[in-house]
Amino acid sequence: MALTKNQIAQRIAQELRDKWYVNLGIGIPTLVANYIPEGIEVEFQSENGLLGMGPFPIEGTEDADLINAGKQTVTVLDGGSIFDSATSFAMIRGQHVQLTVLGAMEVAQNGDIANWKIPGKMVKGMGGAMDLVASAENIIVAMMHTNKRGESKLLKECSLPLTGVGCVTKIVTNLAVLEIKNNVFHLLERAPGVTVEEIKKATEGTLVIDGQIPEMRL
Amino acid sequence: MALTKNQIAQRIAQELRDKWYVNLGIGIPTLVANYIPEGIEVEFQSENGLLGMGPFPIEGTEDADLINAGKQTVTVLDGGSIFDSATSFAMIRGQHVQLTVLGAMEVAQNGDIANWKIPGKMVKGMGGAMDLVASAENIIVAMMHTNKRGESKLLKECSLPLTGVGCVTKIVTNLAVLEIKNNVFHLLERAPGVTVEEIKKATEGTLVIDGQIPEMRL
Amino acid sequence: MINKTVKNVTEALVGVTDNMTLMLGGFGLCGIPENAIKELVKRKVSNVTCISNNAGVDDFGLGLLLQNKQIKKMISSYVGENDEFERQMLSGELEVELTPQGTLAEKCRASQAGFPAFYTPAGFGTEVAEGKETREFDGKMYVLEPAFKSDFSFVKAWKGDTSGNLIFKGTARNFNPCMCGASTITVAEVEELVPAGALDPNQIHIPGIFVQRIFQGEKYEKRIEQRTVTPKS
Amino acid sequence: MINKTVKNVTEALVGVTDNMTLMLGGFGLCGIPENAIKELVKRKVSNVTCISNNAGVDDFGLGLLLQNKQIKKMISSYVGENDEFERQMLSGELEVELTPQGTLAEKCRASQAGFPAFYTPAGFGTEVAEGKETREFDGKMYVLEPAFKSDFSFVKAWKGDTSGNLIFKGTARNFNPCMCGASTITVAEVEELVPAGALDPNQIHIPGIFVQRIFQGEKYEKRIEQRTVTPKS
């Protein structure tokens, strides 16, 4: 069974480590905050200027002056802080944020990522994604393995305009966990019940399968 | 009569304009704050991180955590603010400070200034002077016309290591007010009772004397 | 102390003319200079270049200027919340320069702080870096990005004093502090204008030196784009 | 939330060894990390490079490390308050890199913010620019200055919380915020350590992300260099 979006988030949450500052992109990445493993402390950074981002506010207490990068009303946890945009990207560019999780339209086997533009069609802008992928030491892409037309999103080369080059290290999709090393995808784990063959078929880029591939534990 | 240090400061204070932010160096420049003309408002910036610097504190109220760039205990006026060193020099480099007044060991007729080092003898460091002179649009040097050995401090070329190049626009000494334009000193005003000849004699650099030179009004 | 107050938004915008480059604070609709934007609409200032992280929504924020076709060019990082924007851009009516968000913030800060340009890794190897100088430092590649040059900055703060000192509230801070002092003239509008001395000098977010004009905005709608809440249990 | 507290200064300095590069906050004796400096003396850490705007006075601040000849190299903007410093420098025992104050601050900030280098007009045409790249932007000349690389930052704040958030008091702020996050490990000592949640998130000067270790200093002497006062009338 392919993972649900929540299960992708749950699997990514297993990658969190104690004392990490984490930036979660819009979409599936946001859900990761719901699955922080027991016994570890992480803080979420929102690039519009918030550290220690908490859950959505209790109905009636929402504040127009307190939103996250997705423009959603949020809260600040005890020990959180507010800062301006230049300081926010000082944190990101200065590699003070240990993990970035974001979505993608395409990932290439050399670690390139495309997620901000479809020429002539969609031009929403890159927001903070280019800064994040250019600076983060540790980037996990959360996405579906294939697009709506069933085409692989794990490619030999990206066809869309790039967001960053050679930066993605790990990918968690609805089918698998993969690592990028030496310019190829390495299959690390399968979604429960999904076969290596299914993953192979859904992956256009070069896929290295080394030994037995375990099923994910959720 | 040559001016006293206080009179040099008094003459410089006449250059202040309403709504200017002003950085005063250590020594004679500091005294300028005592002679702000009636009817204008200026604010003093201290490069260690203080805007709206006020007078020395009333005895007994001094605070080790509130000093100026000369390490003297000071006060903050209503409407003042405190900031870090990077922000302080953002103000200076970004040309938000309208006037810098500082001392000098030598000034050259092309506007070069030397005031931070005597090789092998005095090595206190440049502090914020290099940032100030490289960025300020409006720099007034406050100094004695000659050094302790009676040698001119207004030179064809500086002999000491430079603080900045081609940056000084005006000089107020104990003998005269001078302007630097087209790589020569222009005599603007004489100290009361001081003759043009005396000023000529005390000036090593090229001195342009255009018409009658008025006496300063203090 | 130097007094920066102007009577109202009309006086605050004196000197704003067609073809100027304007910086506008805010992230989404959070912390935008609502009064200045309305006045720009009212004055029908046209052909302006706007530097702003976002372009508002169709009927609020910078979207109002877009509806009236007052904007020649937008410099932003994300513009996905505005249909009219997308239409004007795809039809070629509107010039758009999309800039990574951190680069956008630092181009403002560079201008504020007197840096002519800076090297950032953001955008290297992408179309953002096309035609720009790139350079390696310590094995990593960077793109040289110039500081912005802008005529007016319009920012919105929570509290301000007559000396121009500003304090922001929550994430309505965002780009506002970075844009102060980054244009020839910075106009700050505040929810509450207090006398000099009423704010703690240790708690000022933006010292008054970066602000030329300050006024208390008439009213603030503070529209919420995504009202997300946890139901009362 | 992430807890950054360490028990005391001893634990705060774990990992500091000979030959390291250290940043130390403060301007003159104002806002210096008194407890960290005393611990460096006690540990006899030697051959270190110190990045600090000043070098203390003969018997306080970094002067204590100088007396013990623990410092190999000083990177400062002004060192005029210290006779032993001048003696060691002129005799060649001490290596000294004098840096314009604004450049010094920005070399810290560049390191904090992930900029490899920056262009500043300060020092152009002087011996500070010797051997450095210079470049013209818009008719003005600039010097390329690299960011600092440093092992430990020692800073002093007024209040801090267990998440590492810092608030400074008066001009004891100075270089301290710029040095946070500018070294591999930043150690903050505070006059008062409070629980996470006790500080207003809007009023934090340095977010905890830039601080790895925090502790409450045992005591602060806060010596005044120039006690200048207005007599009571």
Side-chain angles (χ1 to χ4, degrees), chain C residues 126-196:
Chain C
T126 76
E127 60 179 60
V128 161
E130 275 169 26
K132 291 177 187 160
E133 176 183 325
T134 58
R135 181 162 174 173
E136 188 181 323
F137 291 93
D138 274 336
K140 184 162 177 160
M141 294 302 297
Y142 295 81
V143 185
L144 185 68
E145 293 280 0
F148 281 129
K149 285 180 188 163
S150 171
D151 300 297
F152 275 83
S153 284
F154 297 108
V155 304
K156 190 261 170 181
W158 178 48
K159 286 188 182 179
D161 71 16
T162 53
S163 298
N165 295 303
L166 303 178
I167 293 178
F168 303 90
K169 178 171 159 274
T171 57
R173 190 179 319 186
N174 56 62
F175 281 84
N176 285 297
C178 316
M179 289 177 172
C180 291
S183 297
T184 309
I185 292 178
T186 295
V187 176
E189 56 180 85
V190 298
E191 291 183 51
E192 192 187 348
L193 184 62
V194 299

Side-chain angles (χ1 to χ4, degrees), chain D residues 11-53:
Chain D
E11 202 176 313
L13 267 73
V14 165
V16 177
T17 60
D18 297 349
N19 308 307
M20 278 189 164
T21 297
L22 314 176
M23 284 187 182
L24 299 109
F27 186 97
L29 300 179
C30 184
I32 57 172
E34 295 187 16
N35 290 274
I37 292 172
K38 273 184 214 148
E39 181 72 11
L40 287 168
V41 172
K42 194 176 145 198
R43 292 197 182 200
K44 301 192 169 66
V45 178
S46 73
N47 227 23
V48 291
T49 296
C50 290
I51 299 166
S52 168
N53 189 55

Side-chain angles (χ1 to χ4, degrees), chain D residues 112-141:
Chain D
Q112 175 192 71
F115 293 110
F118 58 92
Y119 290 102
T120 179
F124 175 76
T126 75
E127 60 178 60
V128 161
E130 275 169 25
K132 291 176 186 162
E133 176 182 325
T134 59
R135 181 163 175 172
E136 188 181 323
F137 290 94
D138 274 337
K140 185 165 178 159
M141 295 302 298

Side-chain angles (χ1 to χ4, degrees), chain C residues 79-132:
Chain C
V79 293
E81 258 91 46
N82 194 309
D83 293 338
E84 175 62 15
F85 184 100
E86 201 154 7
R87 195 198 62 70
Q88 287 187 23
M89 173 166 60
L90 292 175
S91 73
E93 288 166 62
L94 180 68
E95 216 180 310
V96 178
E97 189 176 312
L98 290 168
T99 303
Q101 197 173 130
T103 301
L104 191 78
E106 195 65 20
K107 280 166 79 88
C108 297
R109 196 251 170 191
S111 181
Q112 174 192 72
F115 294 109
F118 58 92
Y119 291 103
T120 179
F124 175 77
T126 76
E127 60 179 60
V128 161
E130 275 169 26
K132 291 177 187 160

